[in-house]
PDB file of all heavy atoms in Angstrom:
ATOM      1  N   SER A 304     235.767  40.615 111.296  1.00 97.00           N
ATOM      2  CA  SER A 304     235.132  40.208 112.542  1.00 97.00           C
ATOM      3  C   SER A 304     236.067  39.405 113.426  1.00 97.00           C
ATOM      4  O   SER A 304     236.944  38.693 112.933  1.00 97.00           O
ATOM      5  CB  SER A 304     233.902  39.350 112.238  1.00 97.00           C
ATOM      6  OG  SER A 304     233.079  40.003 111.313  1.00 97.00           O
ATOM      7  N   TYR A 352     230.011  33.970 123.410  1.00 96.00           N
ATOM      8  CA  TYR A 352     229.881  33.770 121.962  1.00 96.00           C
ATOM      9  C   TYR A 352     231.190  33.201 121.442  1.00 96.00           C
ATOM     10  O   TYR A 352     232.274  33.667 121.823  1.00 96.00           O
ATOM     11  CB  TYR A 352     229.555  35.123 121.319  1.00 96.00           C
ATOM     12  CG  TYR A 352     229.564  35.157 119.815  1.00 96.00           C
ATOM     13  CD1 TYR A 352     228.663  34.382 119.087  1.00 96.00           C
ATOM     14  CD2 TYR A 352     230.467  35.952 119.121  1.00 96.00           C
ATOM     15  CE1 TYR A 352     228.668  34.418 117.696  1.00 96.00           C
ATOM     16  CE2 TYR A 352     230.473  35.993 117.739  1.00 96.00           C
ATOM     17  CZ  TYR A 352     229.577  35.220 117.026  1.00 96.00           C
ATOM     18  OH  TYR A 352     229.587  35.246 115.660  1.00 96.00           O
ATOM     19  N   LYS A 369     225.056  36.119 117.446  1.00 95.00           N
ATOM     20  CA  LYS A 369     226.015  36.786 116.560  1.00 95.00           C
ATOM     21  C   LYS A 369     225.699  38.275 116.399  1.00 95.00           C
ATOM     22  O   LYS A 369     226.568  39.134 116.527  1.00 95.00           O
ATOM     23  CB  LYS A 369     226.008  36.096 115.206  1.00 95.00           C
ATOM     24  CG  LYS A 369     226.976  36.716 114.224  1.00 95.00           C
ATOM     25  CD  LYS A 369     226.956  36.004 112.880  1.00 95.00           C
ATOM     26  CE  LYS A 369     227.784  36.801 111.887  1.00 95.00           C
ATOM     27  NZ  LYS A 369     227.547  36.448 110.508  1.00 95.00           N
ATOM     28  N   LYS A 371     224.154  40.410 118.272  1.00 96.00           N
ATOM     29  CA  LYS A 371     224.348  41.269 119.440  1.00 96.00           C
ATOM     30  C   LYS A 371     225.766  41.198 120.002  1.00 96.00           C
ATOM     31  O   LYS A 371     226.195  42.114 120.692  1.00 96.00           O
ATOM     32  CB  LYS A 371     223.374  40.850 120.552  1.00 96.00           C
ATOM     33  CG  LYS A 371     221.924  41.118 120.238  1.00 96.00           C
ATOM     34  CD  LYS A 371     221.077  40.650 121.412  1.00 96.00           C
ATOM     35  CE  LYS A 371     219.602  40.732 121.091  1.00 96.00           C
ATOM     36  NZ  LYS A 371     218.839  39.736 121.870  1.00 96.00           N
ATOM     37  N   HIS A 372     226.470  40.108 119.742  1.00 97.00           N
ATOM     38  CA  HIS A 372     227.709  39.875 120.492  1.00 97.00           C
ATOM     39  C   HIS A 372     228.985  39.792 119.664  1.00 97.00           C
ATOM     40  O   HIS A 372     230.062  39.643 120.215  1.00 97.00           O
ATOM     41  CB  HIS A 372     227.538  38.602 121.334  1.00 97.00           C
ATOM     42  CG  HIS A 372     226.351  38.661 122.249  1.00 97.00           C
ATOM     43  ND1 HIS A 372     225.511  37.593 122.469  1.00 97.00           N
ATOM     44  CD2 HIS A 372     225.848  39.690 122.970  1.00 97.00           C
ATOM     45  CE1 HIS A 372     224.544  37.960 123.306  1.00 97.00           C
ATOM     46  NE2 HIS A 372     224.723  39.234 123.620  1.00 97.00           N
ATOM     47  N   GLN A 373     228.842  39.890 118.327  1.00 96.00           N
ATOM     48  CA  GLN A 373     230.034  39.823 117.497  1.00 96.00           C
ATOM     49  C   GLN A 373     230.859  41.114 117.627  1.00 96.00           C
ATOM     50  O   GLN A 373     230.312  42.197 117.745  1.00 96.00           O
ATOM     51  CB  GLN A 373     229.596  39.651 116.039  1.00 96.00           C
ATOM     52  CG  GLN A 373     230.712  39.358 115.091  1.00 96.00           C
ATOM     53  CD  GLN A 373     230.216  39.275 113.655  1.00 96.00           C
ATOM     54  OE1 GLN A 373     229.343  40.032 113.245  1.00 96.00           O
ATOM     55  NE2 GLN A 373     230.752  38.351 112.912  1.00 96.00           N
ATOM     56  N   PHE A 374     232.158  40.956 117.602  1.00 97.00           N
ATOM     57  CA  PHE A 374     233.085  42.096 117.641  1.00 97.00           C
ATOM     58  C   PHE A 374     233.513  42.350 116.207  1.00 97.00           C
ATOM     59  O   PHE A 374     234.019  41.455 115.555  1.00 97.00           O
ATOM     60  CB  PHE A 374     234.295  41.691 118.499  1.00 97.00           C
ATOM     61  CG  PHE A 374     235.252  42.811 118.846  1.00 97.00           C
ATOM     62  CD1 PHE A 374     235.825  42.871 120.116  1.00 97.00           C
ATOM     63  CD2 PHE A 374     235.610  43.776 117.925  1.00 97.00           C
ATOM     64  CE1 PHE A 374     236.721  43.884 120.449  1.00 97.00           C
ATOM     65  CE2 PHE A 374     236.499  44.786 118.250  1.00 97.00           C
ATOM     66  CZ  PHE A 374     237.059  44.838 119.511  1.00 97.00           C
ATOM     67  N   TYR A 375     233.282  43.552 115.674  1.00 97.00           N
ATOM     68  CA  TYR A 375     233.709  43.793 114.289  1.00 97.00           C
ATOM     69  C   TYR A 375     234.186  45.219 114.042  1.00 97.00           C
ATOM     70  O   TYR A 375     233.887  46.142 114.803  1.00 97.00           O
ATOM     71  CB  TYR A 375     232.593  43.432 113.300  1.00 97.00           C
ATOM     72  CG  TYR A 375     231.354  44.279 113.401  1.00 97.00           C
ATOM     73  CD1 TYR A 375     231.311  45.542 112.820  1.00 97.00           C
ATOM     74  CD2 TYR A 375     230.225  43.835 114.076  1.00 97.00           C
ATOM     75  CE1 TYR A 375     230.180  46.338 112.915  1.00 97.00           C
ATOM     76  CE2 TYR A 375     229.088  44.620 114.176  1.00 97.00           C
ATOM     77  CZ  TYR A 375     229.077  45.866 113.600  1.00 97.00           C
ATOM     78  OH  TYR A 375     227.964  46.662 113.707  1.00 97.00           O
ATOM     79  N   ALA A 389     232.119  47.957 116.278  1.00 97.00           N
ATOM     80  CA  ALA A 389     231.418  47.461 117.462  1.00 97.00           C
ATOM     81  C   ALA A 389     232.413  46.609 118.245  1.00 97.00           C
ATOM     82  O   ALA A 389     232.696  45.475 117.863  1.00 97.00           O
ATOM     83  CB  ALA A 389     230.181  46.658 117.082  1.00 97.00           C
ATOM     84  N   ARG A 391     233.128  44.573 121.341  1.00 96.00           N
ATOM     85  CA  ARG A 391     232.302  43.927 122.371  1.00 96.00           C
ATOM     86  C   ARG A 391     233.103  42.876 123.120  1.00 96.00           C
ATOM     87  O   ARG A 391     233.588  41.921 122.523  1.00 96.00           O
ATOM     88  CB  ARG A 391     231.095  43.261 121.708  1.00 96.00           C
ATOM     89  CG  ARG A 391     230.126  44.258 121.106  1.00 96.00           C
ATOM     90  CD  ARG A 391     229.257  43.601 120.080  1.00 96.00           C
ATOM     91  NE  ARG A 391     228.171  44.470 119.653  1.00 96.00           N
ATOM     92  CZ  ARG A 391     227.482  44.288 118.536  1.00 96.00           C
ATOM     93  NH1 ARG A 391     227.761  43.267 117.736  1.00 96.00           N
ATOM     94  NH2 ARG A 391     226.516  45.112 118.216  1.00 96.00           N
TER      95      ARG A 391
END
Side-chain angles (χ1 to χ4, degrees):
S304 309
Y352 172 63
K369 180 180 171 196
K371 292 180 187 153
H372 304 139
Q373 189 183 38
F374 190 141
Y375 65 80
R391 293 160 170 162

